[in-house]
Amino acid sequence: MENMQTIVLWLGVCLTLVISTQANPVAPQDPALPCLAPLQWEGRIVEYDHSTGRNTRASMSYDGQNQRIRILEQKRGHVPCKKYFEYIYLFQSGVMFQIEQVTKQCSKLALTQAWDPFDIPLNSTYEDQYFIGGPGDMIEVQEWSDRKPARQNEAWLGVYTVKDCYPVQETYTRNTSVTTSTRFFDLALGISDPSVFTPPSTCQSALPVRMTSAC
């Protein structure tokens, strides 16, 4: 009888611990280092320019290993006279190609910005960890920024998945008036067609000025 009472007592203690843990889940600990993002992937993006209120939807091929990016703007409905472009950024060569999707007219411009990979720099500041969506979605992400201990306003904020370290969103503030937020989705590992980084033959006689999307 005494053994039975002991077993019942232990069961009660265990049940109390389980209920307590569920009611008060342990908050995630700050990770020592950020995760390592994949070097090559393809997917879709939406970039929002806060200064103009304009969204740009596109397909992206990202090759961090060779420092190159290809962006193909997606057509959304019928907009009279609007031009859609393909962009090929070759950072190791220091050039960017802009190709009009219909006529294949091409512009070749020098890249003024340095290579900035889609990853989490090792000196980043951990901000938060949480699940995206509602109950059962279970997509866990972490937020990192370039904020320093003095609590200055961050110029970069990145949200990456915990499981595979895929980018979910990045927000840049380049000055007080220009801020862009980019959302990433439908990502797949690797590059299915490396030829997308090769400019078309029309770029052999490329223009030295950037084309506009207006008529």
Side-chain angles (χ1 to χ4, degrees), residues 101-128:
Q101 292 187 27
V102 176
T103 65
K104 300 302 179 181
Q105 186 176 4
C106 181
S107 292
K108 180 181 179 181
L109 304 170
L111 284 174
T112 57
Q113 69 269 37
W115 168 251
D116 186 8
F118 289 114
D119 65 3
I120 310 171
L122 291 177
N123 62 348
S124 299
T125 298
Y126 172 78
E127 297 289 355
D128 201 358

Side-chain angles (χ1 to χ4, degrees), residues 40-110:
Q40 294 180 326
W41 51 260
E42 295 176 322
R44 294 194 292 150
I45 65 168
V46 176
E47 182 182 84
Y48 176 68
D49 188 325
H50 295 244
S51 61
T52 63
R54 183 174 301 168
N55 283 296
T56 300
R57 300 177 182 272
S59 298
M60 175 182 285
S61 298
Y62 170 77
D63 183 4
Q65 183 173 334
N66 298 295
Q67 297 185 359
R68 54 188 186 175
I69 295 174
R70 184 256 197 166
I71 295 176
L72 184 67
E73 291 183 341
Q74 294 181 348
K75 298 180 180 180
R76 306 291 295 181
H78 178 67
V79 181
C81 294
K82 180 177 173 57
K83 298 177 182 178
Y84 293 87
F85 297 101
E86 174 186 2
Y87 297 90
I88 300 175
Y89 296 84
L90 304 176
F91 284 87
Q92 291 184 351
S93 301
V95 295
M96 183 271 283
F97 295 92
Q98 179 193 24
I99 303 105
E100 204 279 315
Q101 292 187 27
V102 176
T103 65
K104 300 302 179 181
Q105 186 176 4
C106 181
S107 292
K108 180 181 179 181
L109 304 170

Side-chain angles (χ1 to χ4, degrees), residues 10 15 51 71 78 80 138-139 149 190 193 203:
W10 274 108
L15 181 61
S51 61
I71 295 176
H78 178 67
M138 301 301 289
I139 302 175
D193 182 10
C203 289

Side-chain angles (χ1 to χ4, degrees), residues 20 29 43 45 169:
S20 176
Q29 299 296 314
I45 65 168
Q169 180 169 329

Side-chain angles (χ1 to χ4, degrees), residues 166-212:
Y166 280 109
V168 176
Q169 180 169 329
E170 284 204 352
T171 299
Y172 278 94
T173 303
R174 292 181 174 82
N175 55 49
T176 57
S177 61
V178 179
T179 301
T180 58
S181 296
T182 305
R183 294 183 287 118
F184 305 82
F185 47 96
D186 293 343
L187 302 189
L189 193 62
I191 303 296
S192 60
D193 182 10
S195 68
V196 297
F197 299 107
T198 302
S201 59
T202 52
C203 289
Q204 294 178 2
S205 56
L207 301 172
V209 294
R210 189 183 186 100
M211 292 178 281
T212 65

